[in-house]
Amino acid sequence: MEKTDISFMETLENELAGLHIRRPAPGRSVSVADFGAKPDGNSCNYKAFARALVCCRKEKLETLLVPRGVYRFKECGGNSHLDLDGMENFLLDGQGSEFIFETCKPYLSVCGAHRIMIRDLVLDWNWEKAPLASAGIVTEVAADGSYIECTFPACKTIPDKMHFTIVGPFDPHRYTPGCKNGMEFRPYKNEYVKDSGDEETDARMHELIRELSGVFKPVQERVDANTMRFYTADPDFTKQHFHRGDCYNFRHYEYSILTIPIRDTTDCTLENITIYSSPGSGFVGNGDIHGLHFKGCKVTVRPGTARSISTATDCLHICNSRGNFIIEDCEFGFAGDDCINIHDNSCMGIEITGSHSLIAQRAVKESVLFEPGFPVELRNPDLSPTGYVSRLTGADYDPHSRTCLLTFEDPLPQSLSPGTVLWNRRFSTQNYIIRGCRFTNNRARGILLQGSNGLVENNVFENIQGAAIQIETGCESRWSEGHGVSGLLIRNNIIRHCDLNAWQMAVLYMGVYLPGGRTEEPVFRNVVIEKNTFIDCPRQAMFFSSCRNVIVRDNVIINALQLPLEEACYGSSTMEKPVYGETYRGGIQFEKASCILEENNTVLSMLQH
């Protein structure tokens, strides 16, 4: 057996020790009060802030000060409420102010900016005008299974017609996302599937989605001030899976906005920014971004409220970048999706059109960002290398069919598979540190690590509906994320009471999602998991696959394997058996792995069986 090699660790730590994000230099300042901004709780401040930012650009001022107060933004005349696009050497100093929004446009945009800092702000959504989610209790299940009734205790009155996109399990005792045996579903059709038009490939890609949908008929009836009757599509399913006392979170928004989009920006610092709620994702990076520092930021529910969600989707999402991130001393939770997801995008499926050209399927411009002059790598459907990397000379998108005609400098290889995967080598999300953070009470995963050269240390993960840490790469009908991971150190973390709904087989999960199943290709390399504590794992503590040179040592595992490993595993939706038909065993498992080391791990149970 080949020996593991830890020499990469010293190089990794040395490189990350030099990570530095430049801050703006101090200079002249101006106050938004000089432009008519009023923290009176009634005025709309969009125009006042716009005037202030125009002045900062024109006069090249370095700082915009916001006198402490509560500022409302009732309208938005541009693409975002606060436009920091193109700013350079600039500080927006909130001084502890709160901004309240009620229009579905980004709260604050940072595009094409350089050496910029935003600090000491609280951002929130006007729930009185439009709640983002409502927690409901099943109070009645029809004897014939034709309907269920849900009461919403936090709502005095609900509308006659309740719009929602997805419904997830909610713990009525703790008033937090996720609970044992909880079921998640889309009540109607899943609108986020991205078909290519080819029935065979679409069918294979759909197998990976595994989201329960079509549970309700599009018929509702309000039977009381805060009680709604939902008519169901399958009476037998209704009687089997819905019970009086079940608690669910009905989400009214999902991907409506990017709260703080950061694009094509270098050296951006966000310090002490709190997002109490948003109808979309929180901090979102994409494109040619390099150097992000999140310090003391929070995404959580506002204290003193009965809210059941913070951001409608991810707290922090990086989808294409040039890397160099520091995320420290932050707190993320109560989101409608993951706390953190970092990756580069890809797409799967091609049609050859010429010696130098092909049509890429499921290639949405804002996702893959293919552009002439940048290299693209072709991978086999199992993610093994084809050996082909070439610069693009053309990229012609068709938004209607979600395809892109790509032309390459070099001739394409012979006999490429229709399931070929395309990686945009323009981007490389790597060199990142996540430390001293808390990830708690969240609907999906704690962090999805899909980038290389990363350090994750001294964090706390607690009460996470899905896996605490998920390391993956793959392609399916809705999204294709990740270019593999090389170089990752996860140490000194506490992981307690996670994977509540048994989304994955393990609390720390490594694997691919591909139409062909798991791959022998080691897309995850050079990974060390050490000195972490895992407490209260429904099934396995750790699962690793499609990997090489992985060291797991000096960890403590307490109270794992509480559920039978052979039972259905995907608790988030369809409750089906493992999609890959695998056999699971033990608290730590390796599949399709080589050059691995597992040593000095302590496993114990405090539970009586």
Side-chain angles (χ1 to χ4, degrees):
M1 179 180 292
E2 296 179 82
K3 292 184 178 180
T4 52
D5 178 10
I6 62 171
S7 61
F8 75 92
M9 286 180 57
E10 183 177 355
T11 301
L12 172 62
E13 294 193 78
N14 288 339
E15 289 180 353
L16 294 179
L19 254 182
H20 176 70
I21 288 79
R22 297 180 302 162
R23 297 188 172 207
R28 296 173 299 158
S29 66
V30 68
S31 171
V32 293
D34 298 335
F35 300 88
K38 297 178 181 179
D40 56 15
N42 295 312
S43 301
C44 178
N45 288 280
Y46 166 72
K47 292 181 179 179
F49 273 81
R51 289 192 294 267
L53 289 167
V54 167
C55 176
C56 290
R57 287 187 175 90
K58 183 178 180 181
E59 302 297 329
K60 295 185 178 180
L61 302 176
E62 285 81 10
T63 302
L64 179 60
L65 298 171
V66 183
R68 188 183 179 100
V70 178
Y71 297 82
R72 291 190 175 270
F73 294 78
K74 298 183 179 183
E75 63 180 34
C76 179
N79 294 323
S80 61
H81 291 85
L82 291 100
D83 179 2
L84 273 62
D85 295 354
M87 302 295 274
E88 187 168 353
N89 194 55
F90 182 74
L91 164 65
L92 174 61
D93 191 347
Q95 301 188 109
S97 293
E98 295 189 19
F99 295 171
I100 312 297
F101 303 88
E102 53 188 63
T103 303
C104 276
K105 289 190 177 181
Y107 292 178
L108 200 156
S109 175
V110 184
C111 179
H114 307 285
R115 208 162 64 255
I116 187 168
M117 182 176 184
I118 307 162
R119 72 182 182 196
D120 298 332
L121 273 175
V122 174
L123 308 176
D124 203 357
W125 176 258
N126 185 355
W127 280 64
E128 293 181 0
K129 184 176 180 180
L132 300 183
S134 302
I137 305 170
V138 177
T139 50
E140 183 179 346
V141 179
D144 63 358
S146 61
Y147 66 83
I148 66 169
E149 289 183 1
C150 288
T151 298
F152 299 87
C155 306
K156 292 182 180 179
T157 304
I158 58 174
D160 292 331
K161 174 69 174 178
M162 180 179 284
H163 168 77
F164 47 89
T165 62
I166 190 168
V167 181
F170 211 68
D171 189 323
H173 300 284
R174 295 171 48 249
Y175 205 73
T176 54
C179 59
K180 185 178 180 180
N181 299 322
M183 178 177 66
E184 182 170 295
F185 61 94
R186 293 188 182 273
Y188 310 118
K189 182 181 178 181
N190 186 348
E191 300 293 339
Y192 300 103
V193 172
K194 300 174 182 177
D195 290 339
S196 68
D198 182 89
E199 292 185 5
E200 182 179 350
T201 60
D202 285 344
R204 290 202 303 270
M205 298 291 266
H206 281 211
E207 289 181 4
L208 295 175
I209 296 173
R210 308 170 73 206
E211 279 193 341
L212 187 62
S213 61
V215 175
F216 291 171
K217 294 179 179 177
V219 182
Q220 303 175 15
E221 180 183 351
R222 194 176 73 173
V223 297
D224 202 348
N226 67 344
T227 302
M228 185 72 76
R229 177 176 293 177
F230 300 103
Y231 289 89
T232 55
D234 185 335
D236 291 335
F237 181 91
T238 301
K239 290 186 288 185
Q240 181 180 357
H241 294 293
F242 289 102
H243 311 90
R244 283 175 56 89
D246 289 348
C247 188
Y248 291 96
N249 198 24
F250 290 72
R251 293 161 53 191
H252 310 308
Y253 293 83
E254 197 166 2
Y255 296 99
S256 297
I257 68 168
L258 307 180
T259 308
I260 303 181
I262 305 169
R263 184 160 178 170
D264 302 335
T265 289
T266 59
D267 292 309
C268 177
T269 299
L270 296 103
E271 186 169 288
N272 298 329
I273 305 298
T274 295
I275 301 177
Y276 278 140
S277 62
S278 164
S281 296
F283 308 100
V284 182
N286 194 8
D288 291 315
I289 54 176
H290 182 273
L292 293 179
H293 190 183
F294 296 89
K295 172 74 172 178
C297 294
K298 289 185 179 181
V299 178
T300 188
V301 292
R302 179 184 282 274
T305 69
R307 297 178 183 179
S308 55
I309 203 168
S310 56
T311 52
T313 40
D314 296 339
C315 299
L316 194 166
H317 191 138
I318 305 296
C319 50
N320 300 315
S321 78
R322 295 187 184 276
N324 281 34
F325 309 140
I326 301 174
I327 305 167
E328 59 183 351
D329 304 326
C330 294
E331 179 183 340
F332 298 122
F334 285 95
D337 210 330
D338 307 309
C339 289
I340 294 179
N341 184 357
I342 55 175
H343 61 87
D344 296 310
N345 284 324
S346 63
C347 62
M348 185 179 211
I350 64 168
E351 177 186 346
I352 302 296
T353 58
S355 61
H356 291 68
S357 64
L358 58 80
I359 293 175
Q361 298 175 338
R362 303 179 185 86
V364 181
K365 184 175 183 179
E366 61 268 23
S367 175
V368 292
L369 295 177
F370 292 135
E371 286 189 10
F374 294 98
V376 168
E377 178 182 359
L378 303 186
R379 290 257 168 166
N380 292 309
D382 65 353
L383 299 181
S384 61
T386 65
Y388 181 85
V389 182
S390 180
R391 291 186 180 276
L392 295 176
T393 59
D396 185 11
Y397 292 90
D398 183 347
H400 177 72
S401 64
R402 297 177 180 268
T403 62
C404 184
L405 175 62
L406 299 177
T407 308
F408 296 83
E409 282 186 353
D410 304 301
L412 292 166
Q414 298 293 318
S415 304
L416 284 173
S417 166
T420 294
V421 177
L422 294 87
W423 287 358
N424 188 354
R425 287 305 191 183
R426 170 185 174 185
F427 303 111
S428 181
T429 294
Q430 62 179 359
N431 299 333
Y432 59 88
I433 298 170
I434 303 174
R435 64 186 173 205
C437 298
R438 291 184 59 84
F439 305 95
T440 62
N441 302 313
N442 203 64
R443 173 245 168 190
R445 276 74 44 151
I447 50 178
L448 262 70
L449 298 175
Q450 305 182 86
S452 297
N453 292 346
L455 170 63
V456 179
E457 65 177 357
N458 301 324
N459 303 287
V460 174
F461 301 81
E462 191 163 19
N463 299 323
I464 304 294
Q465 184 174 331
I469 299 174
Q470 193 159 321
I471 306 161
E472 69 179 11
T473 290
C475 302
E476 52 112 296
S477 186
R478 293 165 300 175
W479 46 70
S480 297
E481 296 179 354
H483 293 175
V485 175
S486 179
L488 178 60
L489 174 55
I490 299 175
R491 68 184 178 197
N492 299 336
N493 301 283
I494 295 177
I495 301 172
R496 178 188 292 110
H497 196 55
C498 293
D499 200 25
L500 303 179
N501 277 70
W503 274 31
Q504 299 291 350
M505 182 50 65
V507 167
L508 191 159
Y509 173 86
M510 173 190 287
V512 301
Y513 54 98
L514 293 167
R518 299 205 190 278
T519 176
E520 297 282 355
E521 175 65 22
V523 292
F524 311 110
R525 296 169 177 260
N526 300 336
V527 178
V528 174
I529 315 290
E530 65 179 8
K531 299 180 181 178
N532 304 282
T533 300
F534 298 80
I535 303 171
D536 193 22
C537 309
R539 288 176 304 212
Q540 294 178 329
M542 291 173 266
F543 178 90
F544 304 93
S545 64
S546 303
C547 57
R548 178 180 175 82
N549 198 41
V550 176
I551 297 100
V552 181
R553 63 188 182 190
D554 302 323
N555 301 282
V556 174
I557 301 170
I558 303 172
N559 297 341
L561 302 174
Q562 298 180 39
L563 299 177
L565 297 181
E566 67 274 10
E567 287 190 0
C569 83
Y570 199 70
S572 71
S573 58
T574 54
M575 299 173 293
E576 62 188 78
K577 290 192 175 181
V579 68
Y580 300 120
E582 296 169 319
T583 299
Y584 298 99
R585 57 193 178 277
I588 303 173
Q589 182 171 347
F590 292 87
E591 287 290 331
K592 300 187 184 303
S594 61
C595 198
I596 59 175
L597 174 66
E598 178 191 338
E599 66 177 5
N600 298 329
N601 297 293
T602 301
V603 180
L604 60 93
S605 175
M606 301 295 292
L607 303 177
Q608 294 290 324
H609 295 287

mmCIF file of all heavy atoms in Angstrom, residues 284-287 289 317-321 341-345 366-367 369 427 429 481:
data_model
loop_
_atom_site.group_PDB
_atom_site.id
_atom_site.type_symbol
_atom_site.label_atom_id
_atom_site.label_comp_id
_atom_site.label_asym_id
_atom_site.label_seq_id
_atom_site.Cartn_x
_atom_site.Cartn_y
_atom_site.Cartn_z
ATOM 1 N N VAL A 284 -22.568 37.377 -2.068
ATOM 2 C CA VAL A 284 -22.406 36.528 -3.252
ATOM 3 C C VAL A 284 -21.272 37.061 -4.118
ATOM 4 O O VAL A 284 -21.317 38.207 -4.588
ATOM 5 C CB VAL A 284 -23.694 36.462 -4.088
ATOM 6 C CG1 VAL A 284 -23.503 35.527 -5.283
ATOM 7 C CG2 VAL A 284 -24.864 36.002 -3.231
ATOM 8 N N GLY A 285 -20.247 36.241 -4.321
ATOM 9 C CA GLY A 285 -19.123 36.624 -5.165
ATOM 10 C C GLY A 285 -19.136 35.870 -6.472
ATOM 11 O O GLY A 285 -19.458 34.682 -6.514
ATOM 12 N N ASN A 286 -18.757 36.558 -7.563
ATOM 13 C CA ASN A 286 -18.728 35.906 -8.871
ATOM 14 C C ASN A 286 -17.814 36.691 -9.805
ATOM 15 O O ASN A 286 -17.733 37.921 -9.727
ATOM 16 C CB ASN A 286 -20.137 35.841 -9.471
ATOM 17 C CG ASN A 286 -20.228 34.884 -10.657
ATOM 18 O OD1 ASN A 286 -19.282 34.158 -10.957
ATOM 19 N ND2 ASN A 286 -21.365 34.884 -11.325
ATOM 20 N N GLY A 287 -17.119 35.982 -10.667
ATOM 21 C CA GLY A 287 -16.294 36.623 -11.679
ATOM 22 C C GLY A 287 -14.860 36.810 -11.246
ATOM 23 O O GLY A 287 -14.312 36.043 -10.454
ATOM 24 N N ILE A 289 -12.975 38.110 -9.070
ATOM 25 C CA ILE A 289 -12.792 38.655 -7.731
ATOM 26 C C ILE A 289 -11.555 38.014 -7.105
ATOM 27 O O ILE A 289 -11.296 36.824 -7.278
ATOM 28 C CB ILE A 289 -14.033 38.442 -6.837
ATOM 29 C CG1 ILE A 289 -14.441 36.969 -6.786
ATOM 30 C CG2 ILE A 289 -15.189 39.297 -7.303
ATOM 31 C CD1 ILE A 289 -15.604 36.695 -5.843
ATOM 32 N N HIS A 317 -21.930 32.896 -0.618
ATOM 33 C CA HIS A 317 -21.783 32.009 -1.769
ATOM 34 C C HIS A 317 -20.765 32.618 -2.730
ATOM 35 O O HIS A 317 -20.947 33.739 -3.205
ATOM 36 C CB HIS A 317 -23.142 31.864 -2.475
ATOM 37 C CG HIS A 317 -23.172 30.786 -3.514
ATOM 38 N ND1 HIS A 317 -24.242 29.928 -3.645
ATOM 39 C CD2 HIS A 317 -22.287 30.408 -4.463
ATOM 40 C CE1 HIS A 317 -24.010 29.086 -4.641
ATOM 41 N NE2 HIS A 317 -22.820 29.361 -5.159
ATOM 42 N N ILE A 318 -19.697 31.861 -3.006
ATOM 43 C CA ILE A 318 -18.699 32.262 -3.994
ATOM 44 C C ILE A 318 -18.811 31.301 -5.166
ATOM 45 O O ILE A 318 -18.559 30.105 -5.021
ATOM 46 C CB ILE A 318 -17.266 32.221 -3.427
ATOM 47 C CG1 ILE A 318 -17.162 33.067 -2.157
ATOM 48 C CG2 ILE A 318 -16.279 32.688 -4.487
ATOM 49 C CD1 ILE A 318 -17.404 34.528 -2.341
ATOM 50 N N CYS A 319 -19.212 31.807 -6.330
ATOM 51 C CA CYS A 319 -19.404 30.938 -7.501
ATOM 52 C C CYS A 319 -18.590 31.478 -8.668
ATOM 53 O O CYS A 319 -19.131 32.175 -9.514
ATOM 54 C CB CYS A 319 -20.883 30.855 -7.862
ATOM 55 S SG CYS A 319 -21.731 32.450 -8.001
ATOM 56 N N ASN A 320 -17.343 31.148 -8.700
ATOM 57 C CA ASN A 320 -16.300 31.597 -9.629
ATOM 58 C C ASN A 320 -15.517 32.736 -8.988
ATOM 59 O O ASN A 320 -16.093 33.711 -8.495
ATOM 60 C CB ASN A 320 -16.833 32.090 -10.981
ATOM 61 C CG ASN A 320 -17.605 31.054 -11.739
ATOM 62 O OD1 ASN A 320 -17.186 29.910 -11.836
ATOM 63 N ND2 ASN A 320 -18.746 31.455 -12.282
ATOM 64 N N SER A 321 -14.209 32.589 -8.992
ATOM 65 C CA SER A 321 -13.366 33.635 -8.422
ATOM 66 C C SER A 321 -11.909 33.335 -8.765
ATOM 67 O O SER A 321 -11.590 32.295 -9.351
ATOM 68 C CB SER A 321 -13.521 33.706 -6.904
ATOM 69 O OG SER A 321 -12.785 32.667 -6.281
ATOM 70 N N ASN A 341 -20.896 28.397 0.725
ATOM 71 C CA ASN A 341 -20.645 27.527 -0.424
ATOM 72 C C ASN A 341 -19.615 28.230 -1.302
ATOM 73 O O ASN A 341 -19.854 29.346 -1.776
ATOM 74 C CB ASN A 341 -21.936 27.291 -1.213
ATOM 75 C CG ASN A 341 -21.746 26.307 -2.360
ATOM 76 O OD1 ASN A 341 -20.641 25.824 -2.610
ATOM 77 N ND2 ASN A 341 -22.821 26.012 -3.070
ATOM 78 N N ILE A 342 -18.452 27.620 -1.476
ATOM 79 C CA ILE A 342 -17.404 28.216 -2.308
ATOM 80 C C ILE A 342 -17.012 27.228 -3.398
ATOM 81 O O ILE A 342 -16.758 26.056 -3.138
ATOM 82 C CB ILE A 342 -16.167 28.636 -1.479
ATOM 83 C CG1 ILE A 342 -15.611 27.472 -0.670
ATOM 84 C CG2 ILE A 342 -16.502 29.802 -0.568
ATOM 85 C CD1 ILE A 342 -14.325 27.822 0.055
ATOM 86 N N HIS A 343 -16.960 27.711 -4.641
ATOM 87 C CA HIS A 343 -16.673 26.820 -5.764
ATOM 88 C C HIS A 343 -16.466 27.620 -7.038
ATOM 89 O O HIS A 343 -16.691 28.836 -7.087
ATOM 90 C CB HIS A 343 -17.840 25.855 -5.982
ATOM 91 C CG HIS A 343 -19.145 26.539 -6.301
ATOM 92 N ND1 HIS A 343 -19.512 26.874 -7.571
ATOM 93 C CD2 HIS A 343 -20.151 26.965 -5.500
ATOM 94 C CE1 HIS A 343 -20.700 27.467 -7.544
ATOM 95 N NE2 HIS A 343 -21.104 27.542 -6.302
ATOM 96 N N ASP A 344 -16.055 26.937 -8.092
ATOM 97 C CA ASP A 344 -16.140 27.421 -9.463
ATOM 98 C C ASP A 344 -17.194 26.578 -10.166
ATOM 99 O O ASP A 344 -17.452 25.427 -9.784
ATOM 100 C CB ASP A 344 -14.801 27.285 -10.182
ATOM 101 C CG ASP A 344 -13.713 28.146 -9.549
ATOM 102 O OD1 ASP A 344 -13.962 29.340 -9.341
ATOM 103 O OD2 ASP A 344 -12.619 27.611 -9.258
ATOM 104 N N ASN A 345 -17.815 27.143 -11.190
ATOM 105 C CA ASN A 345 -18.886 26.435 -11.888
ATOM 106 C C ASN A 345 -18.355 25.649 -13.085
ATOM 107 O O ASN A 345 -17.243 25.887 -13.577
ATOM 108 C CB ASN A 345 -19.956 27.417 -12.349
ATOM 109 C CG ASN A 345 -20.830 27.875 -11.196
ATOM 110 O OD1 ASN A 345 -21.131 27.108 -10.294
ATOM 111 N ND2 ASN A 345 -21.229 29.136 -11.223
ATOM 112 N N GLU A 366 -24.255 33.768 -16.830
ATOM 113 C CA GLU A 366 -23.893 34.276 -15.502
ATOM 114 C C GLU A 366 -23.347 33.191 -14.593
ATOM 115 O O GLU A 366 -22.759 33.473 -13.550
ATOM 116 C CB GLU A 366 -25.090 34.957 -14.840
ATOM 117 C CG GLU A 366 -26.290 34.068 -14.619
ATOM 118 C CD GLU A 366 -27.281 34.103 -15.773
ATOM 119 O OE1 GLU A 366 -26.879 34.453 -16.913
ATOM 120 O OE2 GLU A 366 -28.458 33.769 -15.543
ATOM 121 N N SER A 367 -23.527 31.935 -14.990
ATOM 122 C CA SER A 367 -23.014 30.825 -14.186
ATOM 123 C C SER A 367 -21.610 30.417 -14.617
ATOM 124 O O SER A 367 -20.679 30.411 -13.814
ATOM 125 C CB SER A 367 -23.962 29.630 -14.281
ATOM 126 O OG SER A 367 -23.430 28.510 -13.612
ATOM 127 N N LEU A 369 -19.682 31.792 -17.282
ATOM 128 C CA LEU A 369 -18.840 32.936 -17.669
ATOM 129 C C LEU A 369 -17.745 32.559 -18.663
ATOM 130 O O LEU A 369 -16.613 33.019 -18.577
ATOM 131 C CB LEU A 369 -18.219 33.593 -16.427
ATOM 132 C CG LEU A 369 -19.195 34.251 -15.442
ATOM 133 C CD1 LEU A 369 -18.444 34.790 -14.230
ATOM 134 C CD2 LEU A 369 -19.964 35.374 -16.122
ATOM 135 N N PHE A 427 -11.049 30.672 -13.935
ATOM 136 C CA PHE A 427 -11.220 30.879 -12.498
ATOM 137 C C PHE A 427 -10.521 29.788 -11.699
ATOM 138 O O PHE A 427 -10.320 28.671 -12.170
ATOM 139 C CB PHE A 427 -12.709 30.912 -12.139
ATOM 140 C CG PHE A 427 -13.478 31.963 -12.890
ATOM 141 C CD1 PHE A 427 -14.414 31.605 -13.848
ATOM 142 C CD2 PHE A 427 -13.243 33.304 -12.651
ATOM 143 C CE1 PHE A 427 -15.109 32.572 -14.549
ATOM 144 C CE2 PHE A 427 -13.936 34.279 -13.347
ATOM 145 C CZ PHE A 427 -14.873 33.915 -14.300
ATOM 146 N N THR A 429 -10.986 29.143 -7.581
ATOM 147 C CA THR A 429 -11.375 29.491 -6.216
ATOM 148 C C THR A 429 -10.501 28.696 -5.258
ATOM 149 O O THR A 429 -10.753 27.523 -4.988
ATOM 150 C CB THR A 429 -12.863 29.200 -5.988
ATOM 151 O OG1 THR A 429 -13.628 30.087 -6.812
ATOM 152 C CG2 THR A 429 -13.257 29.418 -4.538
ATOM 153 N N GLU A 481 -21.120 22.233 -9.995
ATOM 154 C CA GLU A 481 -20.229 23.014 -9.136
ATOM 155 C C GLU A 481 -18.955 22.239 -8.826
ATOM 156 O O GLU A 481 -18.988 21.031 -8.607
ATOM 157 C CB GLU A 481 -20.938 23.381 -7.827
ATOM 158 C CG GLU A 481 -22.143 24.278 -8.021
ATOM 159 C CD GLU A 481 -22.849 24.611 -6.713
ATOM 160 O OE1 GLU A 481 -22.471 24.050 -5.661
ATOM 161 O OE2 GLU A 481 -23.774 25.437 -6.753
#
